[in-house]
């Protein structure tokens, strides 16, 4: 059958749905059927799935009769989120069913039941929607070469979410193995909606061999996104973080009530729980049509929420990034973002959850958590209008992922080192792997390295006449349970004492609870009864108050792109341009800032010096984001302490940081001695923030991925303090006896590149050294300084007086004093 005839089949199907195909879809069909690999870039809701799924089916029809079906996996569709799988599978299966093609589209994720996996093993589906972790679990099966040998295509959905992560590295490695199995006949395609470095993203995914002959297809469809900032009636001249968001709930509720269905996004699971409670308190009539969705909730609850969203049964879902990506909930016509999303791409993805169909308008409302955050609202609108998105920097030489992958191959029958080395060097991540690093990895999996060689537990793999394999069934089972690169704090299952799981909370939170304490989780107030078999047993409570769990990893770094845009918006204000409604709204704050101090332009660094009842303060306004400020504050504090004997307390937000001391700070002398110099900067950073301690904490994750630390069997997880103790012992042993251990080196590098964002930090230092540094001594904290000052008060909780009341009192006192002046 000719390509033209095949295209007609697709076009007829589109017409039956009363749709029209787009040019980018037809281009993708043509490229795919001509044997090409590539990357597709198209906006959310434009039909990206059909652009690549349809040619997969058409290629089969080109060479086979409609009912010439064999039970073999031909297509692997890799997706980063389990929440995406059902929706994608439904779309794929629907096309096959409508053509009367008896293909089965299967799901393979961590939620797939054992019985379903057994069915897939006995009778393989023709397509498998799968997560990176589940694909590696497949590669640990002894029969994987036979099971996957007929895979013709791998489609990686939402590739921008994987690149730059260890999950992305694991995806690269899995693809390298499947390329070899296919004997060069495998097509690789990536789908990405938002990413700033598309050519590099394609190169990382496809590898050097396919990249040279690949194609890039970009949709010309312009996705219409309406960004509306929710404005307070009045702006506080001294704003503070976290207060304004909930204060605007009266303006949020009408949006919810006037929409068919709304997704309300927060940046953390804790905020999701808090907003759910606040909305129900203010609008109890939403009970029954409001739900919550985040990654720590039980999978069955999350699935129910997703199904109810599809069916249009819910008015509102309060959620986190668990619903960020490609899920097509057509009833959703409004999205609300609480607080700055800290990145343009993340904001655009969330906006795309509304108006998900081709040609529909996506509407997103931005709710600031403090007045100054309105600048972010203006910056986000400008970025989306101009099509500016963040780049995702790929990881290189993640040796912990490589070690895990090699053990996976050892479990599934073994591997020949030279053959696998040739494959992995075709990946972007390991293209520069040295012979020394490769030999270290082989020695590590066979003996545990020079330090652990005497312990049988770490000698997992042995060399059987040139084939590296594992025959110890216990070691093999432990490895299969540990496959994956997402390492978090140990979680404990939350279960009603009468039965029924709600999800998981972190052990560190549970350790603070006493029997009878209440906490909010999954939208319910729960009373803690006891812990049994590492399960938190609870019952419903009628109390109105309770704690809210906190989860690690909640902080999001402000992207470099958004930092630049915020500076640009402030420059507009300096120039008298208040055409953005957000800038016009906060003009009183900016005017007061100018009166009390100044607004720094793009070529200036403002430092404010002020004395209050709390001590002597220095406020630095660099607008580089929390992560950069954390390092920069430590560096400046350390360098100042070398000039004078002094102790500092440090606070920060995305716009600046504070140094506070009980004695006057000799900042003038520090500036004269070039406080921001690059000379000895890494040595000073190491001294200021205890890099060794940070590397030791990072080592726990690296060691877990590499298989040195076993987190326990299902339902019998090892306690966090034991895991930390184990990683600490290993770290110190390597430091003392194997200081060149590559996992130690990797831990330190990850602290610098991922946790401290070394390249971004150095960009900030170089920018500062080109700026004019302006020191202003003020009588009182300025509007820019006040939110940072509040952060210190919230952390220290210096009195029994309610913290919120204290802050409001300070706010009013400052506003009165400024008014009197």
């Amino acid at each position: 059958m000719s390509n033209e005839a095949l295209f007609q089949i697709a076009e007829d199907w589109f017409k039956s749905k009363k749709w029209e195909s787009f040019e980018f879809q037809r281009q993708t069909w043509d490229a795919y059927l001509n044997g090409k690999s590539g990357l597709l870039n198209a906006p959310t809701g434009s039909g990206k799935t059909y652009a690549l799924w349809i040619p997969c089916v058409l290629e089969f029809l080109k060479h086979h009769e409609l009912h010439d079906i064999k039970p073999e996996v031909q297509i692997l569709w890799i997706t980063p989120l389990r929440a995406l799988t059902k929706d994608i599978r439904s779309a794929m299966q629907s096309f096959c069913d409508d053509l009367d093609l008896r293909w089965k589209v299967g799901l393979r994720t961590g939620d797939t039941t054992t019985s379903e996996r057994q069915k897939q093993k006995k009778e393989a589906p023709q397509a498998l929607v799968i997560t990176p972790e589940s694909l590696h679990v497949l590669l640990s099966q002894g029969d994987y070469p036979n099971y996957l040998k007929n895979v013709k295509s791998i489609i990686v959905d939402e590739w921008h979410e994987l690149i730059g992560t260890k999950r992305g590295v694991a995806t690269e490695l899995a693809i390298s193995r499947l390329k070899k199995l296919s004997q060069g006949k495998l097509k690789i395609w990536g789908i990405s909606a938002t990413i700033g470095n598309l050519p590099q993203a394609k190169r990382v995914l496809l590898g050097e061999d396919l990249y040279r002959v690949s194609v890039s297809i970009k949709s010309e469809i312009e996705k219409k996104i309406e960004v509306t900032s929710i404005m307070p009636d009045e702006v506080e001249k001294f704003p503070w973080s976290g207060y304004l968001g909930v204060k605007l709930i009266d303006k949020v509720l009408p949006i919810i009530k006037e929409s068919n269905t709304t997704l309300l996004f927060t940046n953390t699971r804790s905020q999701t729980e808090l907003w759910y409670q606040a909305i129900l308190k203010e609008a109890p009539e939403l009970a029954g049509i409001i739900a919550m969705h985040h990654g720590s909730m039980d999978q069955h609850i999350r699935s129910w929420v997703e199904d109810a969203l599809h069916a249009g049964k819910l008015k509102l879902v309060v959620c986190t990034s668990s619903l960020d990506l490609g899920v097509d909930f057509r009833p959703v016509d409004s999205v609300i973002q609480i607080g700055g999303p800290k990145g343009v791409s993340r904001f655009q993805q969330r906006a795309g959850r509304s108006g998900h169909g081709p040609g529909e308008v996506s509407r997103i409302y931005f709710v600031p958590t403090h007045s100054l955050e309105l600048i972010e609202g203006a910056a986000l609108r400008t970025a989306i209008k101009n099509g500016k998105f963040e780049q995702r920097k790929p990881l290189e030489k993640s040796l912990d992922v490589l070690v895990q992958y090699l053990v996976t191959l050892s479990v599934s029958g073994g591997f020949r080192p030279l053959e696998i080395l040739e494959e992995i060097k075709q990946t972007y991540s390991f293209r520069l792997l040295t012979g020394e690093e490769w030999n270290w990895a082989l020695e590590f999996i066979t003996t545990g390295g020079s330090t652990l060689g005497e312990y049988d537990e770490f000698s997992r793999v042995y060399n059987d006449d040139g084939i590296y394999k594992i025959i110890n069934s216990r070691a093999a089972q432990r490895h299969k349970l540990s496959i994956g690169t997402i390492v978090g704090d140990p979680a404990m299952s939350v279960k009603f004492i009468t039965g029924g799981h709600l999800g998981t909370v972190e052990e560190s939170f549970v350790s603070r609870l006493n029997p009878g304490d209440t906490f909010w989780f999954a939208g319910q107030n729960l009373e803690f009864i006891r812990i049994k078999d590492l399960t938190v047993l609870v019952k419903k409570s009628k109390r109105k108050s309770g704690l809210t769990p906190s989860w690690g990893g909640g902080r999001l770094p402000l992207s470099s792109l958004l930092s630049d845009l915020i500076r640009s918006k402030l420059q507009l204000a300096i120039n008298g341009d208040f055409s953005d409604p957000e800038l016009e709204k906060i003009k009183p704050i900016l005017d007061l800032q100018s009166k009390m101090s100044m607004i720094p332009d793009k070529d200036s660094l403002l430092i404010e010096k002020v004395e209050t009842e709390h001590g002597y303060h220095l406020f630095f306004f660099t607008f580089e984001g929390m992560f950069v400020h954390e390092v920069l504050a430590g560096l400046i504090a350390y360098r100042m302490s070398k000039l004078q004997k002094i102790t500092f307390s440090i606070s920060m937000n995305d716009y600046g940081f504070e140094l506070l001391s009980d004695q006057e700070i000799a900042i003038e002398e520090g500036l004269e001695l070039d406080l921001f110099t690059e000379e000895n900067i890494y040595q000073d950073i190491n001294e200021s923030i205890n890099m060794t301690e940070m590397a030791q904490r990072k080592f726990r994750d690296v060691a877990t991925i590499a298989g040195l630390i076993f987190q326990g069997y299902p339902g019998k997880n090892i306690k966090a303090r034991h895991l930390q103790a184990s990683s600490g012992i290993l770290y110190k042993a390597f430091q003392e006896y194997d200081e060149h251990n590559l996992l130690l080196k990797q831990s330190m590098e990850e602290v610098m590149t991922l946790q401290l964002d070394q390249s971004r930090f150095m960009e900030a230092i170089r920018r500062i050294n080109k700026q004019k540094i302006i020191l202003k001594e003020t009588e009182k904290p300025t509007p820019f300084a006040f939110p940072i000052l509040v952060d210190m008060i919230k952390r220290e909780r210096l009195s029994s007086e309610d913290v919120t009341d204290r802050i409001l009192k300070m706010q009013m006192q400052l506003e009165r004093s400024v008014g009197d002046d």
Side-chain angles (χ1 to χ4, degrees):
M1 191 181 299
S2 67
N3 285 0
E4 290 75 14
L6 292 168
F7 289 172
Q8 192 57 52
I9 293 174
E11 294 287 5
D12 289 344
W13 182 79
F14 268 78
K15 288 178 182 177
S16 72
K17 300 290 183 181
K18 297 182 180 179
W19 299 340
E20 290 186 11
S21 62
F22 293 112
E23 178 62 25
F24 82 87
Q25 292 172 322
R26 296 189 293 271
Q27 289 177 358
T28 308
W29 301 345
D30 186 64
Y32 185 98
L33 290 175
N34 283 313
K36 296 290 186 180
S37 295
L39 182 66
L40 169 62
N41 174 229
T44 298
S46 60
K48 300 188 301 293
T49 300
Y50 293 125
L52 273 162
W53 174 240
I54 285 177
C56 293
V57 174
L58 296 182
E59 184 178 56
F60 174 82
L61 296 177
K62 186 174 184 176
H63 303 290
H64 300 83
E65 295 297 325
L66 199 60
H67 301 295
D68 183 17
I69 308 296
K70 294 180 181 178
E72 59 185 24
V73 179
Q74 299 187 39
I75 311 294
L76 284 176
W77 195 287
I78 300 175
T79 174
L81 281 183
R82 287 179 284 188
L84 294 174
T85 55
K86 290 174 67 175
D87 199 58
I88 293 170
R89 178 197 186 188
S90 176
M92 294 164 68
Q93 191 68 63
S94 173
F95 180 67
C96 295
D97 294 345
D98 289 346
L99 295 187
D100 198 26
L101 174 65
R102 296 176 185 175
W103 267 22
K104 290 181 180 178
V105 181
L107 295 183
R108 184 69 184 260
T109 73
D111 295 332
T112 305
T113 63
T114 303
S115 61
E116 181 60 28
R117 292 180 186 184
Q118 289 300 321
K119 289 179 183 177
Q120 292 174 358
K121 192 171 184 179
K122 291 178 181 177
E123 187 173 354
Q126 284 67 44
L128 200 53
V129 182
I130 194 167
T131 57
E133 292 76 19
S134 291
L135 178 53
H136 276 259
V137 170
L138 268 184
L139 294 179
S140 72
Q141 308 292 328
D143 62 344
Y144 85 84
N146 185 59
Y147 191 76
L148 298 175
K149 67 180 180 181
N150 293 311
V151 171
K152 295 177 175 57
S153 300
I154 298 177
I155 317 295
V156 184
D157 211 346
E158 308 286 358
W159 172 234
H160 60 277
E161 283 294 316
L162 291 172
I163 186 174
T165 70
K166 291 185 180 181
R167 300 179 78 205
V169 175
T171 302
E172 289 183 65
L173 289 170
I175 288 174
S176 72
R177 182 84 278 264
L178 293 169
K179 279 182 180 177
K180 183 68 175 180
L181 285 181
S182 73
Q183 299 179 338
K185 298 177 182 178
L186 192 66
K187 288 190 284 292
I188 312 292
W189 279 84
I191 303 175
S192 177
T194 51
I195 194 167
N197 52 331
L198 282 169
Q200 186 180 40
K202 182 174 72 168
R203 183 183 177 190
V204 174
L205 176 64
L206 304 186
E208 296 299 315
D209 52 345
L210 291 179
Y211 175 72
R212 290 189 293 269
V213 294
S214 64
V215 298
S216 295
I217 297 176
K218 184 175 177 63
S219 166
E220 297 302 321
I221 298 173
E222 183 179 346
K223 181 65 176 176
K224 294 180 180 178
I225 298 177
E226 291 183 0
V227 180
T228 303
S229 294
I230 303 301
M231 308 283 193
D233 293 328
E234 295 181 6
V235 295
E236 308 93 337
K237 292 181 179 178
F238 293 91
W240 56 277
S241 177
Y243 171 63
L244 183 58
V246 177
K247 189 179 177 183
L248 291 174
I249 196 166
D250 288 341
K251 293 181 178 290
V252 169
L253 288 174
I255 298 170
I256 295 169
K257 292 176 181 178
E258 291 166 12
S259 304
N260 291 323
T261 301
T262 299
L263 294 181
L264 187 147
F265 282 101
T266 73
N267 291 333
T268 67
R269 285 166 281 187
S270 298
Q271 287 180 329
T272 299
E273 296 278 348
L274 289 169
W275 268 87
Y276 180 88
Q277 298 162 32
I279 290 172
L280 265 185
K281 181 179 179 181
E282 294 296 321
E285 68 274 12
L286 290 176
I289 53 175
I290 179 176
M292 191 191 313
H293 193 290
H294 62 68
S296 290
M297 293 172 59
D298 185 77
Q299 183 263 328
H300 295 292
I301 299 175
R302 285 184 279 120
S303 294
W304 178 87
V305 173
E306 292 161 22
D307 291 342
L309 263 175
H310 277 293
K313 296 179 179 178
L314 294 174
K315 187 76 172 171
L316 171 68
V317 176
V318 187
C319 55
T320 61
S321 56
S322 58
L323 289 181
D324 262 5
L325 305 177
V327 187
D328 181 5
F329 298 122
R330 293 201 176 272
V332 174
D333 52 1
S334 295
V335 171
I336 299 171
Q337 166 68 40
I338 304 296
K342 309 308 173 189
V344 180
S345 296
R346 183 178 297 109
F347 189 70
Q348 195 265 2
Q349 281 285 344
R350 292 179 175 181
R353 305 282 60 79
S354 70
H356 201 276
E360 295 181 18
V361 177
S362 295
R363 293 180 175 85
I364 185 165
Y365 297 86
F366 175 67
V367 180
T369 58
H370 59 92
S371 298
L372 283 176
E373 213 168 35
L374 282 168
I375 302 172
E376 272 186 66
L380 288 163
R381 184 190 300 104
T382 298
I384 288 177
K385 179 182 177 181
N386 296 331
K388 292 184 177 181
F389 300 104
E390 289 83 7
Q391 297 188 3
R392 297 295 297 267
K393 185 178 180 181
L395 300 183
E396 299 187 40
K397 291 187 180 181
S398 297
L399 294 177
D400 52 347
V401 183
L402 176 61
V403 164
Q404 184 185 104
Y405 173 64
L406 294 178
V407 178
T408 295
L409 297 182
S410 303
V411 168
S412 60
F415 67 91
R416 295 185 183 275
L418 290 180
E419 293 179 2
I420 296 301
L421 178 60
E422 182 182 354
E423 293 174 18
I424 67 171
K425 291 201 73 169
Q426 290 297 312
T427 67
Y428 184 92
S429 181
F430 296 104
R431 72 194 189 286
L432 301 179
L433 188 74
T434 66
E436 181 182 0
E437 290 164 337
W438 174 249
N439 290 331
W440 175 88
L442 291 178
E443 182 184 3
F444 184 80
I445 64 174
T446 52
T447 68
S450 58
T451 307
L452 305 176
E454 296 183 8
Y455 299 91
D456 292 340
E457 180 181 354
F458 301 106
S459 301
R460 295 169 287 174
V461 179
Y462 80 102
N463 184 349
D464 181 14
D465 195 23
I467 300 177
Y468 283 62
K469 61 174 63 174
I470 285 181
I471 59 171
N472 184 297
S473 59
R474 182 171 178 268
Q477 182 187 19
R478 286 176 57 150
H479 175 76
K480 289 180 180 181
L481 290 171
S482 303
I483 287 175
T485 60
I486 301 174
V487 182
D489 286 341
M492 302 182 72
S493 177
V494 179
K495 183 180 179 181
F496 283 121
I497 198 164
T498 54
H501 287 272
L502 289 169
T504 60
V505 293
E506 289 181 0
E507 183 184 317
S508 57
F509 171 75
V510 179
S511 66
R512 303 197 301 268
L513 297 178
N514 295 310
D517 287 350
T518 58
F519 65 98
W520 288 93
F521 179 62
Q524 301 185 63
N525 201 4
L526 308 171
E527 180 181 337
F528 172 57
I529 306 299
R530 64 178 181 274
I531 295 174
K532 181 180 180 182
D533 298 329
L534 291 180
T535 298
V536 182
L537 297 180
V538 298
K539 67 178 182 180
K540 289 184 179 181
S541 172
K542 294 183 179 180
R543 294 185 196 174
K544 300 297 183 183
S545 61
L547 301 171
T548 299
S550 58
W551 287 267
R555 283 197 314 172
L556 297 171
L558 188 72
S559 74
S560 179
L561 172 61
L562 206 45
S563 290
D564 289 340
L565 288 167
I566 288 170
R567 289 191 204 94
S568 297
K569 292 299 178 184
L570 287 175
Q571 186 70 54
L572 289 177
I574 293 170
N575 296 339
D577 183 349
F578 291 89
S579 54
D580 286 301
E582 293 88 354
L583 292 182
E584 177 66 28
K585 190 67 183 181
I586 63 168
K587 188 175 184 297
I589 298 176
L590 298 177
D591 289 344
L592 183 58
Q593 176 68 29
S594 296
K595 178 182 176 182
M596 297 180 68
S597 173
M598 66 172 288
I599 299 173
D601 61 24
K602 297 188 74 171
D603 298 320
S604 303
L605 167 64
L606 172 63
I607 304 174
E608 292 179 351
K609 181 179 181 179
V610 63
E611 182 183 357
T612 72
E613 61 180 295
H614 302 289
Y616 297 87
H617 307 257
L618 287 177
F619 295 97
F620 298 72
F621 301 104
T622 57
F623 301 94
E624 294 289 354
M626 288 276 284
F627 284 21
V628 172
H629 291 163
E630 186 173 15
V631 185
L632 193 53
L635 173 68
I636 300 305
Y638 172 72
R639 287 178 169 176
M640 288 300 305
S641 69
K642 292 202 296 184
L643 296 177
Q644 63 182 130
K645 192 173 182 179
I646 191 169
T647 300
F648 291 108
S649 173
I650 298 174
S651 297
M652 69 208 72
N653 63 13
D654 280 321
Y655 301 159
F657 62 91
E658 171 202 27
L659 301 183
L660 169 65
S661 179
D662 60 359
Q663 64 184 90
E664 191 163 1
I665 307 167
I667 182 62
E668 293 87 353
E669 182 182 353
L671 293 175
E672 286 179 8
L673 295 174
D674 201 1
L675 196 59
F676 295 96
T677 180
E678 289 187 48
E679 186 177 349
N680 298 323
I681 194 165
Y682 291 118
Q683 180 180 339
D684 288 351
I685 289 173
N686 190 39
E687 293 291 335
S688 66
I689 57 177
N690 198 343
M691 290 281 289
T692 301
E693 181 181 337
M694 294 178 74
Q696 183 171 337
R697 291 201 298 269
K698 178 64 69 175
F699 177 76
R700 194 195 108 184
D701 293 353
V702 170
T704 301
I705 293 170
L708 286 178
I709 299 174
F710 181 56
Q711 291 192 298
Y713 294 97
K716 297 182 180 179
N717 290 344
I718 298 170
K719 290 189 175 182
R721 62 177 180 272
H722 296 154
L723 293 174
Q724 196 63 53
S726 299
S727 66
I729 292 169
L730 288 170
Y731 185 87
K732 290 174 183 175
F734 287 150
Q735 267 194 322
E736 186 171 352
Y737 302 108
D738 188 12
E739 61 178 336
H740 299 296
N741 186 287
L742 296 186
L743 295 184
L744 285 186
K745 179 183 176 184
Q746 182 183 331
S747 299
M748 185 64 77
E749 287 176 350
E750 287 190 11
V751 168
M752 291 300 297
T753 59
L754 301 180
Q755 192 165 340
L756 302 184
D757 203 348
Q758 178 183 5
S759 60
R760 170 94 182 273
F761 174 78
M762 290 308 300
E763 285 176 14
I765 285 288
R766 286 163 190 151
R767 182 186 294 112
I768 289 169
N769 281 314
K770 293 177 182 177
Q771 292 176 325
K772 180 182 179 181
I773 298 177
I774 302 173
L775 177 63
K776 289 277 189 180
E777 190 163 353
T778 63
E779 294 184 9
K780 301 177 181 67
T782 66
F784 279 16
F786 190 71
I788 308 174
L789 180 64
V790 166
D791 183 71
M792 178 271 293
I793 295 169
K794 286 195 292 185
R795 284 189 293 108
E796 292 189 358
R797 298 176 181 270
L798 296 175
S799 82
S800 59
E801 186 179 1
D802 181 82
V803 175
T804 301
D805 291 340
R806 291 187 61 214
I807 295 169
L808 288 171
K809 187 183 296 183
M810 283 178 54
Q811 187 183 46
M812 289 189 295
Q813 288 172 344
L814 276 171
E815 292 193 359
R816 277 200 301 269
S817 65
V818 169
D820 294 340
D821 292 344

